[in-house]
Amino acid sequence: ASRPLTLMIHSLGAPQGLGFDTHTAAMEQLKEWGLRTTAPLLHACSGIEAVQARYEQVLSKRDDFPFEIDGIVVKANRISVQNEAGSRARSPRWAVAYKFPPREETTQLEDIVVQVGRTGAITPVAVLKPVNVGGVTVSRATLHNQAEIERKDIRLGDWVVVSRAGDVIPEIVKPITARRSGKERRFRMPAQCPECGAELVLPAEEVIYRCPDIGCPAQVKGTIVHFARRDAMNIDGLGEKLVDQLVDKSVVRDPSDLYFLKPDELAAQERMGMKSAENLIKAIENSKKTPLARFIFALGIRHVGETLARGLADHFGDVARLASASLEELQNIEDVGPRVAQSVRDFFSSPNNNRVVKRLIEAGVRPEPPGATGVQDEPGPLAGEVFLFTGELESMSRDEAKRLVESKGGKIASSAGRKVTRVVVGAEPGSKLQKARELGLRIMDEREFLGLVRGKK
């Protein structure tokens, strides 16, 4: 009430005992009951031509509404049709967004600066003369990467067309070449990270430059949050807000600093008492004994997920051997291609990364090799099976499905190949399905997949 908050109902959630035949009837009834709904804006259409006409009508009046909209939603009106169509994991099949063209304005590009993201990605950002775009003052816009700047031929000093993608995210649509004076300059990505000075790398077949140094101040927070994840070092109680505080106050500068924290340092943080601090210290201490695969995954090496981390752990057996491995040796490992191998080499070629790993070991972290007592279970019921997923699943996310397979000893493939034993196809599958058919791989739908994995004890 103190905000004050208001409610605008656009659809039903999980109705019980209401018995409406159509969406419009439901909204009208809610309106009669005194609830604020979008019923006055609803329009029942018969045929795609009527939908297009309604779209253009609403587009012409978008500025007359008491709230911002970026398009309309086309829905199946009959509830029985909605039920028959069903839903994907995150969206219904019976509704689709029909977006409006983004609003556009013209302004001048004054400068291009680069920002370092939490994963080390280097992103060029346009500094613009402030301009009002759809009621919002825009002074910055992402330029994505060097290749995108070159593709659009954007230059320093250009007059440019600016839009807000989805009426939200500012972006430069194109330069206005007719307004060039000849003083405009081309942009080039710096050779060193603007935050830590490390040499930037451009991984093979990629367009985004990256800082490979996990000690870089700009990416320390993301690195530490990833390091503490449940499926990495599993440090319970170390959330993002606490990490923000510890890094902002320079209490923690890299993951190895976690193992040298004192209870009073933690207790001094906002919303942290001595009891909570002692519990976190205990969780950090408990994380010291961990499987090698988890430790490798926790380091946050680009392109090295949980499955690949297990493969590296199986092959090398300890961190020192992995750190000194050559590109050729890395590429001889199953599922490790040139891009992944180069990423691993880039990581361990960084003096600071090696310092952090060495300090973790000195702090008492003991990554245990595969087969060590209490570390690796017996082969699971899906051992020997290699799954490839394509399309969107209804009952779970792709990551959840992969974890389910891996928890039962199976492996995950990223592309169709002879080693794949089963291809799981969801809604709107990609090109992997065609490749799988060409190779004669075994294909199954989500229902068959669930029957298989849940039947394996």
Side-chain angles (χ1 to χ4, degrees):
S2 64
R3 291 293 191 253
L5 300 177
T6 59
L7 172 68
M8 172 75 78
I9 300 172
H10 60 75
S11 58
L12 297 174
Q16 296 182 12
L18 298 180
F20 296 116
D21 291 329
T22 63
H23 175 73
T24 49
M27 292 300 101
E28 286 294 343
Q29 182 62 72
L30 293 177
K31 179 185 174 185
E32 289 182 20
W33 288 342
L35 295 167
R36 189 179 181 211
T37 75
T38 56
L41 302 176
L42 295 185
H43 187 80
C45 299
S46 179
I48 194 64
E49 294 81 5
V51 171
Q52 183 64 34
R54 179 59 175 170
Y55 169 86
E56 292 170 0
Q57 182 185 34
V58 176
L59 174 59
S60 68
K61 297 181 178 180
R62 68 186 296 188
D63 293 324
D64 299 336
F65 297 123
F67 43 76
E68 282 283 324
I69 60 173
D70 66 349
I72 66 172
V73 179
V74 184
K75 301 179 180 179
N77 192 26
R78 197 159 283 284
I79 302 298
S80 60
V81 174
Q82 293 182 8
N83 293 335
E84 184 178 353
S87 297
R88 302 184 185 92
R90 298 178 182 82
S91 60
R93 286 199 178 94
W94 46 266
V96 62
Y98 190 177
K99 299 287 188 179
F100 294 149
R103 302 176 188 270
E104 296 182 345
E105 297 293 343
T106 301
T107 188
Q108 191 170 22
L109 172 62
E110 296 183 326
D111 196 8
I112 297 177
V113 298
V114 295
Q115 293 181 342
V116 188
R118 289 194 174 190
T119 62
I122 309 296
T123 304
V125 178
V127 179
L128 306 166
K129 266 187 184 174
V131 61
N132 189 293
V133 184
V136 175
T137 299
V138 173
S139 59
R140 289 188 164 224
T142 179
L143 291 169
H144 302 290
N145 53 65
Q146 177 80 48
E148 183 72 359
I149 294 173
E150 293 174 359
R151 185 183 70 80
K152 292 183 176 180
D153 190 24
I154 297 170
R155 305 180 187 182
L156 291 160
D158 265 338
W159 284 87
V160 295
V161 176
V162 180
S163 73
R164 287 168 57 213
D167 279 356
V168 178
I169 303 170
E171 68 173 355
I172 292 179
V173 178
K174 62 182 179 180
I176 304 175
T177 55
R179 296 190 65 172
R180 283 180 176 162
S181 65
K183 296 181 180 180
E184 294 79 15
R185 294 173 289 114
R186 295 186 184 278
F187 170 78
R188 287 290 176 267
M189 193 70 70
Q192 286 83 32
C193 172
E195 294 288 340
C196 69
E199 291 288 330
L200 299 183
V201 297
L202 181 61
E205 300 180 8
E206 293 191 23
V207 294
I208 298 176
Y209 282 82
R210 294 186 177 274
C211 172
D213 190 345
I214 62 173
C216 175
Q219 54 178 315
V220 162
K221 292 178 181 178
T223 298
I224 294 173
V225 169
H226 173 84
F227 184 85
R229 282 172 49 165
R230 184 183 299 275
D231 47 5
M233 296 300 284
N234 191 22
I235 303 178
D236 189 32
L238 187 62
E240 289 189 29
K241 291 185 178 179
L242 180 55
V243 169
D244 286 345
Q245 292 184 62
L246 294 172
V247 174
D248 289 343
K249 296 177 181 178
S250 297
V251 177
V252 172
R253 296 176 180 82
D254 61 57
S256 68
D257 283 338
L258 296 173
Y259 295 89
F260 296 91
L261 284 171
K262 301 292 190 293
D264 56 339
E265 289 179 306
L266 289 171
Q269 307 308 313
E270 185 180 346
R271 297 183 181 179
M272 281 288 288
M274 184 53 74
K275 182 64 176 176
S276 297
E278 291 173 348
N279 288 339
L280 181 52
I281 292 291
K282 184 177 179 180
I284 293 172
E285 185 67 26
N286 290 341
S287 74
K288 288 182 177 180
K289 184 178 180 181
T290 186
L292 176 60
R294 279 176 171 253
F295 180 78
I296 294 171
F297 175 63
L299 292 176
I301 305 170
R302 183 158 167 74
H303 301 308
V304 178
E306 294 175 76
T307 302
L308 192 50
R310 280 195 288 273
L312 294 173
D314 290 342
H315 182 86
F316 291 103
D318 65 63
V319 181
R321 283 192 59 206
L322 172 61
S324 61
S326 66
L327 279 173
E328 183 179 4
E329 186 177 4
L330 287 164
Q331 290 185 58
N332 285 333
I333 302 171
E334 184 179 357
D335 294 330
V336 175
R339 184 170 63 173
V340 175
Q342 188 61 58
S343 179
V344 174
R345 283 306 316 136
D346 287 341
F347 181 89
F348 287 107
S349 295
S350 164
N352 191 60
N353 292 353
N354 284 316
R355 180 192 64 79
V356 170
V357 172
K358 182 179 178 181
R359 196 161 180 253
L360 285 166
I361 301 302
E362 290 173 349
V365 177
R366 293 289 176 265
E368 301 195 19
T373 303
V375 175
Q376 193 177 59
D377 296 329
E378 292 297 315
L382 291 180
E385 297 276 14
V386 180
F387 287 77
L388 174 68
F389 290 89
T390 180
E392 189 172 8
L393 303 179
E394 289 186 13
S395 60
M396 63 184 72
S397 69
R398 185 85 66 83
D399 285 342
E400 289 171 334
K402 289 179 178 178
R403 284 196 292 271
L404 179 58
V405 168
E406 291 171 344
S407 70
K408 294 178 180 290
K411 292 185 176 182
I412 304 298
S414 58
S415 60
R418 296 292 181 187
K419 293 182 180 179
V420 174
T421 58
R422 300 176 190 269
V423 179
V424 182
V425 179
E428 300 178 14
S431 59
K432 295 176 184 177
L433 177 58
Q434 180 60 35
K435 180 65 174 177
R437 285 173 174 159
E438 292 173 1
L439 293 172
L441 302 179
R442 183 171 181 177
I443 296 171
M444 58 173 45
D445 60 21
E446 184 174 353
R447 180 183 57 79
E448 292 173 302
F449 164 71
L450 292 175
L452 173 70
V453 296
R454 290 173 178 169
K456 297 281 190 178
K457 302 299 183 182

